Amino acid sequence: MKDLILNEKKNLNAVLVGLITPDQSEEKVNEYLDELAFLAETAGIVPGKRFIQRLDMPNSVTFVGKGKLQEIKEYIANNEEKKVDIIIFDDELSPRQIRNIEKELNIRILDRTGLILGIFAMRAKTAHAKAQVELAQYQYLLPRLTRMWTHLERQYGGGGAIMRGPGETQLETDKRIVLDKISRLKKELKNIDMQKSVQRKNRGKLVRVALVGYTNVGKSTLMNLLSKSDVFAENKLFATLDTTVRKVTIGNLPFLLSDTVGFIRKLPTHLIESFKSTLDEVREADILIHIVDISHPAFEEQIEVVEKTLYDIDKTEKPTIIVFNKIDAFTHVPQNPYDLTPKKRENYTLDELKQTWMGKLNENCVFISAKEKENIEELKSILYKKVREIHTTRFPYNDFLYPDLEELK
Ligand SMILES: Nc1nc2c(ncn2[C@@H]2O[C@H](COP(=O)(O)OP(=O)(O)OP(=O)(O)O)[C@@H](O)[C@H]2O)c(=O)[nH]1
Ligand SMILES: [Mg+2]
């Protein structure tokens, strides 16, 4: 399935396109395009020139305006030494927009959603994750079947095993194939989800803690540190797709810790839904550890995205610990002492940041470096207290087993 979205050919050259709108300032768009470029690199695509246009809202026919589309067309035509293979748009395009742009530019196009889906497909390892991603891809594909996507049967029919029905057009055949796949995958996932929920029930009454957060913030690194396990962590987006659950003990207090898929701005809704059992891990957790990459310039917006996604998944409030990670990589731009304008976010030192809204989080937040193992003991002691509160209500008779952490030392 992955080659439907992303070509097998490596090192495709891409141009990126984004819009400045009343909701998206120029600064934001540049940040979003940085993220889009990072997504592209994760998928093995080489991001190149960026085209940005200021519009009140996306053009319903071609996303960007006519003039901008012409500019992109000329750029592609005159750029022979570095051939452009693909255009990536930062927002989800409607099927109609895809068709029109394709017709005009005669080049492969991809939107943010398609790119994320492609990365998920490359990263899925277990049968479960693969089925979830495949379902999301087919659901995304269905309304977008165009000439770009036709001849599906060549890929799936194993040499023409799926025949075009009598009187059916190519597109109709493709639609039928996709609909069949969707219903088959849904059935398959229903079975897996049932097994998974039985597995979760069998885990008993142990307190469950889930690591959540934006992608690439260090969830798996922290998981490895706390559980001394070896979960795949790397500097790419969506390194983790399958939930890992480990039994961890702090002092002598046992609990279950799970590492989950990272969130991102504009995470396709299909994908959220098809990752149901992964997200059940979050839904059924007793405590959340929300990890934030404080060295990222947009970390506050990332927090909002994560909180909103969490709210979409589960409306109940859970005890949450906010962990500001990567303090070793935190940098700030010192403000010129003669500059009397109010300080901007980037001028704050870490200590000054701690005095802002973060200071109000008190006991529920901690600043660490998972990589340099800084302040891990503090995190453990906060976690210990929170887990103990719940654990002792479930196992009231062995309360005495869990003294304050300091007494354990
Ligand atoms: N400088 C610094 N880098 C860190 C720290 N913690 C993690 N990283 C790096 O950040 C990158 C992402 O770490 P992961 O643990 O894979 O992040 P994740 O949140 O699990 O990411 P996904 O599974 O992709 O959502 C890796 O290159 C880590 O080495 C830290 O405290 N400081
Ligand atoms: Mg991870």
Side-chain angles (χ1 to χ4, degrees):
M1 184 72 187
K2 95 177 134 212
D3 45 341
L4 266 184
I5 305 284
L6 302 172
N7 212 313
E8 290 153 356
K9 195 180 131 205
K10 280 283 163 208
N11 300 331
L12 291 174
N13 289 315
V15 299
L16 310 180
V17 184
L19 289 186
I20 302 171
T21 61
D23 313 328
Q24 278 185 186
S25 66
E26 183 167 359
E27 197 189 349
K28 279 272 158 270
V29 173
N30 279 315
E31 237 170 68
Y32 294 159
L33 289 181
D34 286 345
E35 187 173 82
L36 194 69
F38 194 10
L39 280 165
E41 282 166 6
T42 299
I45 297 173
V46 184
K49 190 171 164 62
R50 299 174 177 194
F51 289 89
I52 296 179
Q53 186 176 32
R54 190 182 295 271
L55 283 179
D56 278 344
M57 57 164 103
N59 182 309
S60 63
V61 186
T62 49
F63 188 72
V64 291
K66 248 203 164 90
K68 192 51 95 180
L69 203 62
Q70 222 43 46
E71 196 185 319
I72 300 174
K73 192 174 182 175
E74 275 160 30
Y75 176 80
I76 297 170
N78 298 327
N79 196 20
E80 273 173 7
E81 78 278 12
K82 195 169 170 243
K83 192 175 155 292
V84 178
D85 305 288
I86 193 162
I87 307 181
I88 309 179
F89 291 80
D90 190 45
D91 292 279
E92 193 167 314
L93 299 174
S94 70
R96 176 170 174 225
Q97 288 167 330
I98 294 192
R99 257 195 311 276
N100 293 329
I101 304 170
E102 236 197 329
K103 209 189 287 166
E104 185 63 32
L105 301 185
N106 209 7
I107 190 170
R108 183 136 209 211
I109 57 173
L110 195 59
D111 60 12
R112 181 180 258 264
T113 309
L115 181 57
I116 294 175
L117 285 169
I119 294 171
F120 272 48
M122 293 161 89
R123 302 239 147 201
K125 297 244 158 47
T126 60
H128 184 208
K130 282 187 181 141
Q132 288 177 320
V133 176
E134 224 179 305
L135 175 62
Q137 281 189 312
Y138 280 118
Q139 284 171 330
Y140 169 79
L141 191 56
L142 189 61
R144 293 177 174 78
L145 283 172
T146 64
R147 67 193 168 90
M148 177 167 75
W149 307 105
T150 53
H151 305 293
L152 280 174
E153 82 255 63
R154 221 191 301 142
Q155 299 194 36
Y156 298 106
I162 298 175
M163 301 296 290
R164 196 188 291 182
E168 254 181 357
T169 63
Q170 183 66 58
L171 200 61
E172 282 163 350
T173 318
D174 288 347
K175 276 202 172 142
R176 180 165 55 83
I177 296 171
V178 171
L179 283 169
D180 281 354
K181 293 265 177 193
I182 289 177
S183 73
R184 184 181 56 72
L185 284 163
K186 276 191 174 158
K187 266 192 222 137
E188 205 177 295
L189 280 170
K190 214 170 165 184
N191 283 336
I192 304 180
D193 283 348
M194 252 150 58
Q195 289 167 17
K196 291 259 164 181
S197 96
V198 172
Q199 274 173 17
R200 281 197 304 272
K201 285 210 182 79
N202 288 342
R203 282 193 214 138
K205 293 193 288 183
L206 279 185
V207 175
R208 292 200 223 155
V209 182
L211 292 162
V212 296
Y214 210 76
T215 180
N216 209 42
V217 295
K219 298 178 293 299
S220 300
T221 310
L222 189 61
M223 171 85 172
N224 288 338
L225 198 62
L226 292 175
S227 69
K228 304 192 179 63
S229 63
D230 213 1
V231 177
F232 183 57
E234 72 169 331
N235 191 19
K236 282 203 169 163
L237 299 177
F238 304 113
T240 309
L241 275 193
D242 287 297
T243 312
T244 324
V245 184
R246 294 269 184 279
K247 189 170 162 187
V248 176
T249 47
I250 297 181
N252 54 352
L253 180 64
F255 62 94
L256 295 173
L257 184 66
S258 59
D259 182 19
T260 60
V261 55
F263 300 150
I264 195 165
R265 190 177 70 99
K266 303 179 189 169
L267 192 66
T269 28
H270 291 323
L271 205 57
I272 298 184
E273 276 161 29
S274 61
F275 269 73
K276 184 182 164 305
S277 65
T278 307
L279 299 170
D280 280 344
E281 208 65 61
V282 175
R283 241 174 252 144
E284 293 176 14
D286 300 299
I287 298 168
L288 301 179
I289 301 183
H290 178 172
I291 307 191
V292 177
D293 173 359
I294 196 157
S295 73
H296 196 288
F299 79 90
E300 276 161 315
E301 197 198 344
Q302 295 187 347
I303 294 178
E304 273 172 38
V305 171
V306 172
E307 284 181 346
K308 190 179 167 305
T309 315
L310 284 173
Y311 184 77
D312 289 343
I313 297 169
D314 182 11
K315 306 280 183 283
T316 56
E317 288 246 333
K318 290 186 202 292
T320 304
I321 303 170
I322 301 202
V323 173
F324 294 100
N325 188 30
K326 305 200 190 181
I327 51 171
D328 61 289
F330 180 85
T331 52
H332 78 287
V333 188
Q335 195 178 26
N336 180 335
Y338 300 106
D339 184 355
L340 295 180
T341 54
K343 277 192 172 181
K344 289 200 216 69
R345 198 353 233 109
E346 75 241 28
N347 302 129
Y348 281 69
T349 62
L350 192 55
D351 279 333
E352 284 169 334
L353 261 187
K354 287 182 189 173
Q355 305 304 315
T356 61
W357 58 271
M358 296 176 193
K360 301 198 185 85
L361 299 166
N362 296 326
E363 287 207 329
N364 297 320
C365 92
V366 56
F367 293 79
I368 67 159
S369 163
K371 197 166 150 204
E372 304 296 329
K373 304 194 176 52
E374 272 181 77
N375 278 345
I376 304 301
E377 287 309 312
E378 191 184 340
L379 166 64
K380 279 188 178 170
S381 108
I382 296 175
L383 194 53
Y384 181 87
K385 273 192 205 141
K386 291 247 182 255
V387 174
R388 188 179 57 179
E389 261 169 43
I390 302 174
H391 185 90
T392 48
T393 61
R394 293 188 192 165
F395 302 90
Y397 304 111
N398 41 15
D399 194 3
F400 64 91
L401 283 174
Y402 309 112
D404 284 344
L405 201 54
E406 293 76 49
E407 293 169 33
L408 282 173
K409 282 180 192 155

